[in-house]
Amino acid sequence: MLCAQVTSVNGTVDDLFVRFGADLFDLQSTADHTPTLWVDRGNLLEVLTHLKPRFPMLLDLFGIDERLRQHKPAAAADFTVVYHLFNLADREEIRIKVAVSDADSNVPTAVGVWANANWYERETWDMFGVQFSGHPNLRRILLPPTWEGHALRKEHPARATEMEPFSLSEEQQEQEQEALLFKPEEWGMARATEDTEFMFLNLGPNHPSVHGVFRIVLQLDGEVVVDAVPDIGYHHRGAEKMGERQTWHSYIPYTDRIDYLGGVMNNLAYVMTVEQMAGIVVPDRAKVIRIMLAELFRISSHLVFYGTFAQDVGQMSPVFYMFADRERLFGIIEAITGGRMHPAWFRIGGVAQDLPRGWERMVREFIDAMPARLDHYQIMAMDNSILKRRTVDIGSYTTAEALEWGITGASLRATGMDFDLRRDRPYGGYDQFEFEVPLGHKGDSYDRAVVRVEEIRQSLRIVRQCLDNMPEGAYKSDHHLTTPPPKERTLQDIETLIHHFLNVSWGPVIPPGEGSFPIEATKGINNYHLVSDGGTTSYRTRIRTPSFPALQQLPLISRGFMIPDLIAIIASIDFVMADVDR
Amino acid sequence: MSELGTISFGLFIILAAVGGAAVLTWFERRLLGIWQDRYGPNRLGPFGILQVAADMLKLLTKDDWVPPFADRMVFIFAPTAIVVAMLLGFAVVPFGPDLYVLDINIGLLFFLGMTSLAVYSVLLAGLASNNKYALLGGLRSAAQMVSYEVFMGLSLMGVVMLTGSFSMRAIVEAQRDMWYCIPQILGLFTFMIAGIAESHRLPFDLPEAEHELTAGFHTEYSGMKFAMFMLGEYLGLILICCMITTLFFGGWLGPWLPPVVWFCLKVFALICFFVLLRAAIPRPRYDQLMSLGWKFMLPLTLLNLLLTGAIALALRG
């Protein structure tokens, strides 16, 4: 991280110290140099409220079970609740941590400070059993309501073999089904007003337009959506829990499956965090290869978005053209990585292999052909007057609302907020590239699509620059924590031999500490907060995904619209359920 | 034609129409496939045409299931109604100068009546299913049909004025000098829109709207009863194309080739056009569809009516 930012953030910390007194805080040093302050829970709300004007976005809120951690920070107790705040305008981050004990795990809710704390706190309660007093509806969010225990606690089993064999009796099945029934009263909804009886429509989890297994219960007056309650968790696979038993290296394939349209983009967020903690410097060639692959996957993801967006407003054909293009893209990705949607191709310290012979021709053919095709799609889909009528001014929100709800990426830029991590806090070599950050101005469904379509063109531009300026050199760092470590010199000096042996047999041991590395993924800011306890596995893997807050905001932007509008809104926010539920 | 001849020709038309609708399911998928850079069903038989047989077998062997919460009688009746109504509509279509089942002096009205009856099918299916999505679909179809029925009939009155008859044969004969698609261009445009709405195909498939209402009014239908709805929809499409041919493109008229061949060629071209329309256009929201119907199409139809009347009067006077 750049020095200038550290000083400016220290300004914020100094300000806090002046305002509240330095004794109140406990400063923790982290691998990413993001100021991390421990606060007593009694002062938490005051501190957060004080920080709110400076940090309009609550990037992430999550828990850590500290009970088995050996390199515990001094201030930690049984559980820690972490508030990760982001000031996009000044690219400034800060973490606030609160320690609670198992016996008395009660933290005041931050819903009043940031609206999007709601779901994050539910998740933290769901996973750790940490109570948030004053929370409007503290119930399970990712796990089913009938679940027993809190899954991310260290004592909760991580594997099916650690549990009793699964069985489901008739009676239990009845109970499970009963638990899935929607009861409006639980959400403070009326079944009827004086002159209207509302219809409650259960949309999903199996519905053609919810992009996976997403359930949203609609309170309808005719076809007008009065209110909506999203229900997520049907795609939850315990990705964070798995991180605690996979080695640092063998977790990479799991990251592919978080945003399954983003492919190696997920690898990037993860390996960059690990590299930061291990102090690995990635060689230039690896950086450019990574950027090229990441941008190809951005194009791929946006093409899926583009096609399904048109499809969800009832246009039948575009999706086939875009999937055909995506297929061509997969041809390239397959030639380079051997995989298609989930290549798991980035490695700690570089990438898995060098680029194959002839990659230039394939990539060049693709990027030469795409602009003309995009022009064609523009006429076919985006300029279509019915499509415009279906999406312009539908589901719009302002920049302030987007920040309040944690919306990032293209959905944020559609409101006119000029922010892109690749340009504004370049990582992994993006500072060497020329590209523009497309912006919308209304923040409606149409603008969200416009921004993404333009991003495809910008990504093509970046890929062309990668193609024209691919540096020579190693595709992997020679740092000993690189996976797999370089083998050439193993038989010449004992040091390398030992490192190689340990690294290949156990996997790398990442030095104790914690850190995160936000990146501009396909759908917004993706961030892995990793905690190492000096072992071969991560002690805590926290995945902040851009899709999660987008769904939380959905009811807010769909109230008063009709069902077809809701579908258009869902189509325009570009989420993937695997990315929401992890 | 003798009575026996009429009956056997009627039976033949029924078989041909149903067979045509069945082949159309395959043809449409192939055509869409070609336009969408893919193949469509091309595995079974030459060009995949046996796909029709395979689909039919599948649908016939499916469990004939009526959901326990549905209104049983109405649930079964609904899909039958659409097929019967559409098939009856074919009775007044003149396929050639002497090829018709029925030549009645209210042929056009009979056709309009039959297509209107088909609306009940959708409506009743939506109601009888006792499913929220089906209900919304039925609701939409009621609203859509009411607004599109109105100018569907009116859009044809220009043709009737020019011909001076409701008889289909008379209308075709009157087009010997000039097809009505030229003087009645507005009528053609409005009738075509109403026709798509009537056969509720994209972009007017709001009662079904699979992206919003899963399958709309026929969400609860499966097997043969579902197939009946599909059959009705494709019959409707063919019928509308037959009507457009008869009313605006000179029916069987044309040089060199036998009349019935001309008729079939014209219908075929129109069907291709309708399929293309489906491939190209997104679906409007249903209030937008309503306002298009009432605020644009209806005035346009009335304007056409006024103009046609005035010109016809002026020419005659």
Side-chain angles (χ1 to χ4, degrees), chain A residues 4-20:
Chain A
Q5 283 153 9
V6 175
T7 15
S8 90
V9 169
N10 278 342
T12 309
V13 176
D14 291 344
D15 174 51
L16 272 180
F17 284 179
V18 170
R19 171 77 174 68
F20 294 97

Side-chain angles (χ1 to χ4, degrees), chain A residues 309 378 382-383 387-388 391-392 444-450:
Chain A
F309 174 68
Q378 180 74 26
M382 296 306 284
D383 292 347
L387 184 136
K388 277 189 183 166
T391 53
V392 171
D444 57 5
S445 298
Y446 187 72
D447 275 7
R448 287 195 280 274
V450 169

Side-chain angles (χ1 to χ4, degrees), chain B residues 65-245:
Chain B
W65 189 69
V66 179
F69 44 81
D71 183 339
R72 203 181 161 80
M73 289 304 291
V74 185
F75 189 83
I76 295 170
F77 170 73
T80 330
I82 189 168
V83 176
V84 172
M86 288 300 175
L87 280 177
L88 281 174
F90 277 95
V92 291
V93 177
F95 298 92
D98 301 312
L99 281 175
Y100 52 86
V101 180
L102 210 58
D103 178 25
I104 44 178
N105 56 5
I106 51 157
L108 198 58
L109 293 181
F110 182 80
F111 156 76
L112 288 173
M114 283 305 126
T115 49
S116 306
L117 273 184
V119 179
Y120 280 102
S121 169
V122 175
L123 211 60
L124 292 178
L127 279 176
S129 295
N130 203 3
N131 169 309
K132 288 173 184 170
Y133 286 109
L135 182 69
L136 285 175
L139 212 69
R140 284 178 175 197
S141 86
Q144 179 177 328
M145 296 307 162
V146 164
S147 26
Y148 281 71
E149 281 291 316
V150 173
F151 69 81
M152 185 180 196
L154 282 176
S155 66
L156 296 180
M157 289 312 125
V159 170
V160 175
M161 264 185 224
L162 290 180
T163 314
S165 168
F166 279 104
S167 156
M168 297 298 218
R169 285 185 66 214
I171 290 172
V172 176
E173 289 296 341
Q175 299 182 62
R176 283 216 178 270
D177 300 328
M178 194 204 289
W179 290 356
Y180 283 156
C181 60
I182 297 164
Q184 280 299 310
I185 181 80
L186 286 179
L188 171 64
F189 174 69
T190 44
F191 180 70
M192 212 168 226
I193 304 252
I196 309 166
E198 196 67 36
S199 57
H200 40 83
R201 290 169 53 82
L202 241 172
F204 294 89
D205 66 340
L206 286 111
E208 195 182 327
E210 76 265 27
H211 298 110
E212 296 150 22
L213 304 181
T214 59
F217 66 93
H218 61 55
T219 303
E220 293 292 344
Y221 282 86
S222 62
M224 234 11 238
K225 287 196 280 294
F226 165 75
M228 296 282 257
F229 275 119
M230 283 288 117
L231 182 65
E233 187 185 318
Y234 282 99
L235 282 176
L237 175 64
I238 300 176
L239 184 61
I240 292 291
C241 290
C242 287
M243 276 299 148
I244 295 175
T245 307

Side-chain angles (χ1 to χ4, degrees), chain A residues 272-291:
Chain A
M272 290 195 67
T273 315
V274 179
E275 282 158 9
Q276 175 181 261
M277 291 164 75
I280 301 173
V281 178
V282 179
D284 282 346
R285 185 173 172 86
K287 280 185 183 171
V288 179
I289 295 177
R290 279 180 180 183
I291 287 176

Side-chain angles (χ1 to χ4, degrees), chain A residues 27-48:
Chain A
L27 197 62
Q28 184 192 343
S29 74
T30 53
D32 55 10
H33 303 299
T34 299
T36 304
L37 297 169
W38 290 81
V39 182
D40 196 54
R41 69 178 165 186
N43 304 316
L44 175 73
L45 273 191
E46 222 179 321
V47 172
L48 291 181

Side-chain angles (χ1 to χ4, degrees), chain B residues 20-51:
Chain B
V23 173
L24 193 56
T25 59
W26 162 81
F27 178 73
E28 178 173 36
R29 277 184 284 170
R30 283 304 315 249
L31 211 55
L32 283 176
I34 290 163
W35 279 326
Q36 292 167 347
D37 282 358
R38 58 196 177 87
Y39 289 114
N42 67 342
R43 295 285 136 155
L44 280 174
F47 303 107
I49 186 130
L50 287 182
Q51 184 69 40

